């Protein structure tokens, strides 16, 4: 039996759900139902929608309830008394409308200001998750797809970490496979002194890769050597291991340039790490009767798919699928993860569906009807397009170098900032360091936000002009909105730290109340974003919050009004929540702009 969460813990929805659950147990003790609590669009703040479903379950079973509305009435009556709820009413076929108490809402915001935004973390049903993201391939191009995976994966990790889940951030780099024979032999051939050379000597690894591939395809003698090279590498021969490591190191230092700019932490456990586990995993799957021979390969047939999942190739080698099965085994049994999340483009969806199915057949994952966890999820995403609507490329036909792309975002945001500050005569107020940090925060933040704000499954057009615009739903606009709130507070010349202790929030004006209610929805927004693995939910919230703040600020005078203290505290709470949203999206907030 799970321990009951403390009173006051979790999102507002979670707190209301606990009240509703206790009412449901009293109202209809004979049936077990999950509380259904939603934000209400019109009539109230929240609503409980259980009555209708309950009615169809119990009508005709000799119940004393006459109709669903009567059930709604009873749910209302049996709600435990609490200082959360101001009033309730039952509408139509049994919707229970719940209006929150202004005092409670105000207090919840004040408590957050005093005790920190971490007290607004939602409660998630898992303790440990693996998030497998970024995962580029050694010696191959790290492309915009990997950029999306890096940005989306990092945000998911941040949201889970904020919700007190232990997250294992895994970089599943492609560092194993037959191409290494070719790369290593080419290294020996091109750089006889390969042990001494630095990473620069090889130059661009992608070009190196192409050249070695060319050699492989055109010289049978080289091809033969490369194929033996793989065997020697996999057999553990010292010289081959060392050369392999050298090639991986060069790639890694390129990847790290991207991670450093994006401020993304990852722990590399590449394909090679799981290689030793593959044989035992295949023995297990085989003993469960899952593996068959087909056209010389070892495969698993999966219901509903035309082609089987190949786990041992015809030449006896392992592949992407066998590695993923071993990695899943490791994550479940050694790392004890309850939720394993993979972030790649939607093009890989079938691969994931198939090996998840194989894991279910092996009994590694429970039947979701009985137990929800452990579970696996594939977080797919769409393409990045150029302004021509085709796959994103730079000017030439060559691929986009991610580091250059990020550097361009920064330099563009810097020149825009400089131009604006010069026009306003404000450039004198800025140090070089501030300029540098602000253009990084704004530039990299713009790239991330442009990626995260859409539903991840849709394709999006990469446009510097659009993402760096200060109008519309962009990171730049939101940075301005946040900086403006900070400036309102600064200009009031009040010490918010002190106001937090001595002052109180009241929500008498309708726009204050709307803002207050939206602020306290923060936890359930994060909860929803985590549950459905959708970062855009947080973006949408952040954007709406800034709109609501604008409305409040337009209609409610802050500085110099009788409500100044309360309203400054609302400004502060909005700034704190906005900053936490930025934090979850991996964007560095700026305080002046
Ligand atoms: N390296 C792969 C690619 O670039 C992505 C790996 C994703 N993770 C996994 N466990 N399969 O497409």
């Amino acid at each position: 039996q799970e321990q009951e969460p403390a009173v006051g813990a979790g999102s507002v929805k979670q707190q209301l759900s606990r009240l509703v659950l206790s009412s449901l147990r009293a109202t209809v003790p004979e049936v077990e139902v999950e509380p259904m609590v939603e934000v209400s669009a019109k009539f109230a703040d929240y609503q409980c929608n259980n009555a209708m479903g309950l009615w169809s379950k119990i009508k005709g079973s000799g119940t004393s309830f006459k109709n669903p509305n009567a059930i709604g009435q009873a749910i209302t009556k049996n709600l435990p008394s609490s200082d959360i709820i101001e009033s309730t009413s039952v509408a139509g076929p049994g919707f229970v409308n719940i209006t929150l108490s202004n005092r409670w809402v105000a207090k919840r915001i004040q408590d957050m200001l005093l005790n920190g935004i971490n007290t607004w973390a939602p409660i998630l049903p898992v303790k440990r998750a693996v998030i497998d993201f970024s995962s580029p391939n050694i010696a191959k191009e790290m492309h915009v797809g990997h950029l999306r995976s890096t940005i989306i994966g990092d945000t998911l990790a941040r949201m889970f970490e904020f919700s007190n889940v232990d997250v294992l951030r895994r970089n599943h780099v492609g560092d194993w496979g037959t191409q290494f024979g070719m790369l290593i032999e080419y290294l020996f051939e091109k750089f006889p002194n390969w042990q001494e050379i630095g990473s620069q000597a090889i130059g661009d690894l992608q070009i190196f890769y192409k050249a070695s591939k060319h050699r492989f395809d055109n010289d049978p003698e080289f091809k033969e050597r490369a194929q033996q090279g793989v065997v020697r590498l996999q057999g553990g021969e010292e010289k081959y291991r060392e050369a392999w490591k050298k090639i991986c190191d060069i790639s890694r230092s390129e990847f790290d340039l991207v991670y450093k700019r994006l401020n993304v932490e990852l722990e590399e456990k590449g394909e090679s790490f799981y290689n030793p586990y593959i044989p035992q995993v295949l023995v297990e799957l085989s003993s469960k009767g899952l593996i068959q021979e087909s056209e010389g390969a070892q495969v698993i047939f999966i219901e509903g798919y035309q082609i089987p999942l190949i786990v041992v190739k015809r030449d006896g080698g392992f592949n992407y699928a066998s590695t993923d099965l071993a990695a899943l085994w490791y994550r479940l049994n050694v790392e004890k993860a309850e939720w394993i999340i993979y972030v790649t483009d939607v093009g890989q969806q079938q691969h994931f569906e198939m090996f998840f199915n194989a894991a279910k057949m092996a009994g590694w994952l429970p039947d979701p009807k009985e137990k929800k966890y452990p579970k696996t999820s594939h977080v797919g995403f769409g393409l990045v397009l150029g302004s021509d609507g085709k796959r994103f490329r730079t000017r030439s036909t060559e691929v986009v170098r991610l580091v250059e792309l990020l550097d361009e975002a920064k330099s563009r945001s810097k020149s825009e900032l400089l131009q604006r500050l010069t026009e306003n005569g404000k450039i004198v107020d800025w140090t070089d360091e501030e300029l540098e940090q602000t253009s990084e925060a704004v530039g990299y933040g713009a790239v991330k936000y442009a990626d995260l704000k859409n539903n991840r499954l849709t394709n999006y057009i990469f446009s510097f002009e659009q993402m760096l615009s200060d109008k519309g739903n962009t990171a730049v606009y939101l940075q301005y909105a946040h900086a403006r709130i900070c400036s309102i507070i600064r200009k009031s010349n009040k010490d918010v730290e002190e106001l937090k202790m001595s002052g109180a929030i009241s929500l008498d004006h309708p726009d204050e109340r709307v803002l207050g209610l939206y602020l306290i929805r923060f936890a359930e927004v994060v909860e929803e974003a985590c549950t459905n693995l959708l970062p855009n939910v947080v973006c949408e919230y952040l954007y709406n919050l800034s709109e609501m703040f604008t409305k409040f600020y337009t209609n409610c005078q802050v500085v110099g009004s009788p409500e100044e203290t309360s309203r400054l505290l609302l400004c502060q709470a909005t700034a704190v929540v906005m900053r936490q949203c930025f934090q979850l999206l991996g964007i560095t907030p700026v305080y002046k702009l």
Side-chain angles (χ1 to χ4, degrees), residues 132 134-137 143 146 172-174 271 320 324 331 342-345 348 351-352:
D132 174 323
S134 193
S135 310
N137 301 315
H143 52 69
H146 296 119
H172 192 87
V173 297
E271 292 181 2
Y320 195 47
D324 259 330
R331 290 161 178 182
Y342 301 82
V343 189
T344 78
D345 63 286
Q348 295 196 34
H351 161 75
F352 285 101

Side-chain angles (χ1 to χ4, degrees), residues 487-496 559 564 568:
S487 129
I488 295 167
I489 298 170
R490 269 197 307 272
K491 285 188 182 142
S492 75
N493 277 321
K494 291 279 157 38
D495 181 356
V496 211
V559 178
E564 183 181 88
L568 277 175

Side-chain angles (χ1 to χ4, degrees), residues 119-162:
T119 57
W120 278 9
I123 301 167
L124 297 187
V126 292
K127 292 195 181 64
R128 178 173 296 159
V130 162
I131 304 185
D132 174 323
F133 68 105
S134 193
S135 310
N137 301 315
I138 300 289
K140 291 194 195 155
E141 166 214 357
M142 184 178 187
H143 52 69
V144 279
H146 296 119
L147 180 67
R148 286 210 80 178
S149 174
T150 308
I151 292 172
I152 296 170
D154 178 55
T155 298
L156 292 174
R158 286 164 178 272
M159 298 188 321
F160 278 82
E161 282 154 357
F162 173 72

